[in-house]
Amino acid sequence: MPSTPPFRDRFAPPRLELQDLSLRFGAVRALDGIDLAVQPGEIVALLGDSGCGKSTLLRVVAGLERPDRGSVRLDGAEVGAVPPEARGVGLMFQDYALFPHLTVAENVRFGLHALPRGPAHTRATARLEQVGLAHRAASYPNTLSGGESQRVALARALAPGPRILLLDEPFSNLDRRTRDRVRADTLDLLRETGTTTILVTHDPEEALGFADRIALLRAGRVAQVGTGADLYRRPASRFAARFFGDLVEIAGPCRGGAVATPFGPCPAPGFPEGAALLACWRPEAIRLVSAQDGIPGRVVGRRFLGATALLSVAVEGFDAPLSLPVPGTDGREPGTAVRLACEPGDAFVFAADGD
């Protein structure tokens, strides 16, 4: 997970502040009371399933959509009536939207009309050098690879020096190997330039690896906002917990402030006696232990993934085998008896009948 950028002043006023943003498209409530603040130099990911409001929120910030209610403030000033081109917002689309009839250099200079030709050329060249594509300045977009197109689009978005950069699924069109490299290069450049950024993504791994904080959206609302560690280790709801990966789950009533599980009683503070609860663990929280400890299980399947493997382990008290990650060198085969343990206090406990 990204470390805190050294240039970010935690006590500075927000670069972007959204208050009570709501927007309907007919009967569909696309945004429903969104509150969010982004600090200067911060990278925030908007994460969620398709249709949850991520791209709509980005378009509202850019000025391409007008909310029915709420305010958008940039550096403390309300910009609801300010046209998109005057907001100082850079927007990079999923398909990059490069102009096919313009060269790479001309694409990057496109947003620099306010500058004389000489300074515009100098700035565009500097941005292309930053993304490692100065040698392709005279090329046309149809000659570029996917990764090169993404970097040109990034250079074009950064060339005017935007107050905030909005990225809408910018890596989704790249193959995995190219995506990992371009994503790392992009993050380095955003850190180097101190660019305040909002990234839209549906990929939890991308959000965890790219952003300082994550705003998890669901049905037009912010379900939870915090660092990646906050959302992964301290999810506020079962929805948030499940969004970041598989869970081992077991249901039971609240008895004496805890829910009984095969691993022992899990504390359930704040729930009433008899409430139907769900205790959940991340698979990596469950350990294979020596024969003297833990509860018995039996390996019923093994899937080799290279550096890691997944063991399917049948355990009494669980309706389905548990899928547990182990090192790829682990040699346990189906039929092997094992014992498992975890800390009951590591469980997330939620009401069984909702989020």
Side-chain angles (χ1 to χ4, degrees):
M1 196 146 28
S3 59
T4 301
F7 49 76
R8 176 149 41 98
D9 181 356
R10 290 184 177 276
F11 303 102
R15 171 60 44 84
L16 173 70
E17 191 170 14
L18 310 177
Q19 293 182 333
D20 194 29
L21 280 186
S22 296
L23 175 62
R24 280 183 177 272
F25 296 118
V28 177
R29 192 185 295 273
L31 302 176
D32 188 7
I34 297 284
D35 292 318
L36 183 66
V38 181
Q39 295 300 116
E42 186 177 29
I43 299 175
V44 171
L46 301 180
L47 176 66
D49 293 318
S50 297
C52 72
K54 306 184 301 294
S55 293
T56 300
L57 183 57
L58 215 66
R59 291 174 64 83
V60 168
V61 174
L64 303 177
E65 299 283 355
R66 293 291 297 273
D68 300 325
R69 189 179 73 239
S71 66
V72 177
R73 293 182 176 275
L74 280 168
D75 293 322
E78 167 63 50
V79 294
V82 177
E85 65 274 13
R87 291 192 177 193
V89 172
L91 180 58
M92 181 173 157
F93 295 98
Q94 182 177 0
D95 61 1
Y96 312 138
L98 298 179
F99 300 111
H101 62 289
L102 300 181
T103 66
V104 164
E106 290 166 342
N107 265 279
V108 177
R109 287 201 303 268
F110 184 80
L112 301 177
H113 298 304
L115 293 180
R117 181 174 179 83
H121 174 77
T122 299
R123 185 180 297 186
T125 300
R127 288 305 190 195
L128 284 172
E129 288 174 349
Q130 284 183 310
V131 299
L133 287 177
H135 64 291
R136 300 301 305 269
S139 301
Y140 284 88
N142 66 341
T143 68
L144 304 176
S145 68
E148 288 173 331
S149 296
Q150 192 273 349
R151 286 187 282 159
V152 172
L154 178 63
R156 182 178 64 182
L158 289 173
R163 292 192 285 178
I164 186 167
L165 177 64
L166 310 178
L167 305 177
D168 193 356
E169 301 271 9
F171 312 111
S172 60
N173 290 333
L174 305 175
D175 63 79
R176 183 175 181 84
R177 181 173 298 179
T178 302
R179 182 168 63 245
D180 290 345
R181 184 184 70 251
V182 172
R183 190 163 54 197
D185 291 344
T186 300
L187 181 59
D188 287 344
L189 180 57
L190 295 176
R191 294 288 190 227
E192 178 186 335
T193 57
T195 303
T196 308
T197 304
I198 297 180
L199 166 77
V200 161
T201 181
H202 64 275
D203 182 351
E205 182 179 342
E206 181 167 271
L208 289 169
F210 197 88
D212 301 311
R213 287 190 303 138
I214 299 169
L216 177 63
L217 270 59
R218 184 186 191 189
R221 296 184 176 186
V222 175
Q224 188 174 354
V225 61
T227 66
D230 289 336
L231 273 69
Y232 188 82
R233 297 171 183 162
R234 293 174 290 277
S237 66
R238 186 172 52 177
F239 166 77
R242 287 176 171 171
F243 202 93
F244 283 89
D246 295 333
L247 295 174
V248 174
E249 303 179 1
I250 190 163
C254 182
R255 294 285 183 255
V259 56
T261 78
F263 295 111
C266 291
F271 289 100
E273 188 73 7
L277 302 181
L278 198 66
C280 311
W281 291 267
R282 298 287 182 204
E284 63 268 24
I286 299 174
R287 310 182 309 278
L288 297 172
V289 294
S290 64
Q292 292 76 29
D293 301 312
I295 61 175
R298 184 169 297 276
V299 178
V300 295
R302 182 178 186 273
R303 186 153 60 100
F304 180 68
L305 300 176
T308 61
L310 287 178
L311 297 183
S312 293
V313 182
V315 180
E316 186 176 350
F318 289 91
D319 295 334
L322 309 185
S323 183
L324 305 180
V326 295
T329 53
D330 189 298
R332 295 179 179 90
E333 295 292 341
T336 305
V338 294
R339 298 188 76 85
L340 298 87
C342 71
E343 296 297 328
D346 289 342
F348 317 130
V349 179
F350 305 111
D353 57 355
D355 288 326

